[in-house]
Amino acid sequence: MSKIKIDHHKFARFVRIFDRVTGTIEPSTRRVYFYAGAGNLMAYGTDGCLSVDLVLGEIVSFDGFYSVLLDDLKLLLREKSEDVVMEFGSTFQISKGTEIISILHPFVQNPRKKDEVETDQIVDTMQLKRTLDIGSIISREGQMIFVGSQNGRFFSACEDYGHTGLAFMNFHGTDFAIEIPYESVRHLVKTLDSIREDKIKFGYSKTIEMKFSDGTLNICSNSLEDTGRIEEIMNFDGVDFEIPVKALKEGATLSSRFQRRNGGRGYLDLSETMKFVVLSQVSAYEYTYPIQWGRAVRIPIAPRKFQQFFSRINEKYVKVGLTDRYLIFKGMQSILIVRIGQ
C-alpha cells in the first residue's frame, strides 16, 4: 500500500485549481485522477479540453489510476489545520482529522490524452490571464475563442452579435492561430488566477501547454488558417476622438442594468455627446457624456457586452474611430469593435 500526507494549505490549493479547471458546466468531468509518476503522486483533471497535471508529493510508486469526485474532496476543506492522508491499495482512502472518505472501487482506465509540447517561452501570468480574459469575455457558451501569435504579439479574440473583442500582449514565440472552446478559455482564466505565480512557461504544438512550479496545464485547439482580419484590427490607427473609460463603464453598466429589467434595444448615439440609449415598449433610458465630435450617428449595441469589456480595462482613455463598417474603441492592448447596422 502506498501512502502520502499532504499539508492542508497545499491540499486546499490543489482542490481550488481543480475546481477551476473542471468548471461547473458538466458535472461528469468534476473528477480527480491520481497516478504515480517519477516517484511522485500526480493528480490529473480535465473539463474535456483544458487539463491539469499537478505534483502532490513523493510517494512509493503504484500502478494504475485511482479516481474520486472533486466535490467529495471539497468536503475535507472544512477542517482548517489538519493534514490530509491518502492511502492507495485495493481501495482508496482519504482521511483528514475526524473525516474519512473510502472509495471501494477506485480503479479507472488512463484518462490522460496529452501531446508533449516544448514550452520555450516565459510569459507573465497576469498578462496572459488579462489577454485571455478580455479577448473572450463578450462571447458565450458553445462558441469558440480565437487565440494565437502574430508578428510578436499574442492575441485572444471573439465575436458575438456584431461585437468583436480583442486583446493582445507582447510575445516572442513562433506564429500560430487556433480556436478554443469558450468554456475552457474561461476555466483557464480562473485557473491562472489560482496558480499565484508571476511567470509560467508557455509553448504551442497542436495544443497549448503551460508549465508552473508544480504542474502543467494543457488546452486543446483547432487550427485556423486565415488571421488577416485580426491583423487588420490590431493595426487600426484611425482616430476621431478619445473618451474616458470611466464614462464607458458607467454608461454601459447603467444601461445594461436598465435593459435587463425592462427589455428593449440598446443604442449608442455619438454627436456632441456620447449617449447610451435603451428603448423598450413602455420606457426609455439615456446616459449622456459630453464629447467633441462634428458628426452624428446612432449605432445599435448590446450594452451588456460593453459593460463586460470595459469593466476589465484599466486605462484612463480609449481612442474611438468610425469607418464605413465599424465603430472601433482602441486601448493600448485591447480593442472593441461594433459592426454598423447590427
Side-chain angles (χ1 to χ4, degrees):
M1 178 177 288
S2 297
K3 184 175 180 179
I4 188 173
K5 181 182 288 188
I6 303 172
D7 172 77
H8 167 76
H9 297 290
K10 186 172 186 176
F11 178 77
R13 175 177 177 270
F14 144 61
V15 171
R16 182 174 63 248
I17 289 173
F18 274 65
D19 195 36
R20 296 187 176 188
V21 166
T22 56
T24 58
I25 302 286
E26 180 49 64
S28 65
T29 67
R30 289 179 60 79
R31 302 192 70 89
V32 182
Y33 303 89
F34 295 96
Y35 65 99
N40 289 309
L41 176 63
M42 305 293 297
Y44 171 83
T46 181
D47 68 357
C49 177
L50 174 66
S51 65
V52 60
D53 287 271
L54 195 65
V55 178
L56 295 180
E58 295 183 357
I59 195 171
V60 176
S61 183
F62 59 83
D63 295 327
F65 284 77
Y66 290 72
S67 177
V68 64
L69 290 171
L70 176 61
D71 290 326
D72 287 349
L73 294 182
K74 290 179 72 174
L75 294 173
L76 300 179
L77 296 177
R78 183 177 60 85
E79 296 285 350
K80 298 298 183 183
S81 58
E82 300 285 348
D83 292 340
V84 174
V85 177
M86 296 184 181
E87 299 180 55
F88 300 86
S90 58
T91 62
F92 178 24
Q93 183 171 290
I94 310 154
S95 58
K96 188 172 191 283
T98 59
E99 299 173 278
I100 298 176
I101 296 174
S102 296
I103 311 298
L104 302 181
H105 304 284
F107 298 103
V108 295
Q109 293 184 338
N110 183 352
R112 298 174 70 239
K113 298 176 182 178
K114 183 181 140 183
D115 298 321
E116 289 299 322
V117 179
E118 182 180 357
T119 51
D120 54 358
Q121 296 296 314
I122 305 294
V123 299
D124 183 277
T125 308
M126 287 300 100
Q127 272 282 82
L128 178 62
K129 177 207 163 190
R130 171 200 162 277
T131 302
L132 292 170
D133 185 23
I134 295 174
S136 65
I137 190 57
I138 68 169
S139 189
R140 54 197 164 95
E141 293 175 16
Q143 295 189 324
M144 303 296 282
I145 308 301
F146 310 109
V147 175
S149 170
Q150 201 166 40
N151 297 329
R153 289 183 290 189
F154 175 87
F155 66 84
S156 172
C158 65
E159 292 183 287
D160 193 35
Y161 290 121
H163 295 59
T164 301
L166 183 145
F168 50 91
M169 58 183 271
N170 293 331
F171 182 77
H172 302 295
T174 56
D175 288 357
F176 68 93
I178 56 177
E179 58 180 10
I180 302 171
Y182 163 82
E183 295 87 348
S184 292
V185 174
R186 299 311 303 170
H187 294 166
L188 177 56
V189 168
K190 294 176 181 179
T191 303
L192 290 172
D193 201 32
S194 66
I195 287 173
R196 298 179 182 175
E197 293 185 13
D198 293 337
K199 304 287 184 181
I200 59 173
K201 294 181 179 180
F202 184 100
Y204 171 76
S205 176
K206 296 184 180 178
T207 65
I208 288 177
E209 186 162 289
M210 294 147 281
K211 291 183 178 179
F212 49 102
S213 61
D214 56 350
T216 302
L217 292 164
N218 189 283
I219 192 164
C220 70
S221 64
N222 299 320
S223 296
L224 288 175
E225 299 297 330
D226 183 13
T227 59
R229 183 162 177 262
I230 289 174
E231 181 71 10
E232 177 187 355
I233 291 171
M234 286 195 289
N235 292 331
F236 175 80
D237 58 3
V239 179
D240 291 305
F241 58 91
E242 291 186 343
I243 195 162
V245 172
K246 182 179 179 181
L248 289 166
K249 287 181 182 179
E250 188 171 60
T253 300
L254 295 171
S255 57
S256 175
R257 188 178 302 163
F258 180 90
Q259 189 178 48
R260 285 198 304 272
R261 293 174 178 171
N262 299 278
R265 297 199 63 181
Y267 301 91
L268 190 67
D269 289 353
L270 298 173
S271 56
E272 294 182 353
T273 62
M274 176 195 71
K275 187 181 296 184
F276 283 88
V277 179
V278 179
L279 301 176
S280 75
Q281 290 183 341
V282 296
S283 57
Y285 173 84
E286 293 183 0
Y287 171 93
T288 303
Y289 185 87
I291 59 175
Q292 298 295 323
W293 199 44
R295 302 172 64 182
V297 296
R298 165 170 282 192
I299 299 170
I301 65 164
R304 173 64 173 161
K305 297 194 180 298
F306 271 66
Q307 186 272 327
Q308 290 172 318
F309 188 87
F310 287 109
S311 66
R312 288 162 167 78
I313 306 299
N314 294 322
E315 302 163 35
K316 288 188 175 181
Y317 292 88
V318 292
K319 298 175 180 179
V320 184
L322 184 68
T323 71
D324 292 340
R325 295 185 297 163
Y326 302 113
L327 174 66
I328 302 172
F329 300 83
K330 185 173 183 179
M332 295 295 293
Q333 293 184 310
S334 59
I335 301 172
L336 178 67
I337 295 178
V338 182
R339 191 181 308 136
I340 296 174
Q342 295 297 309

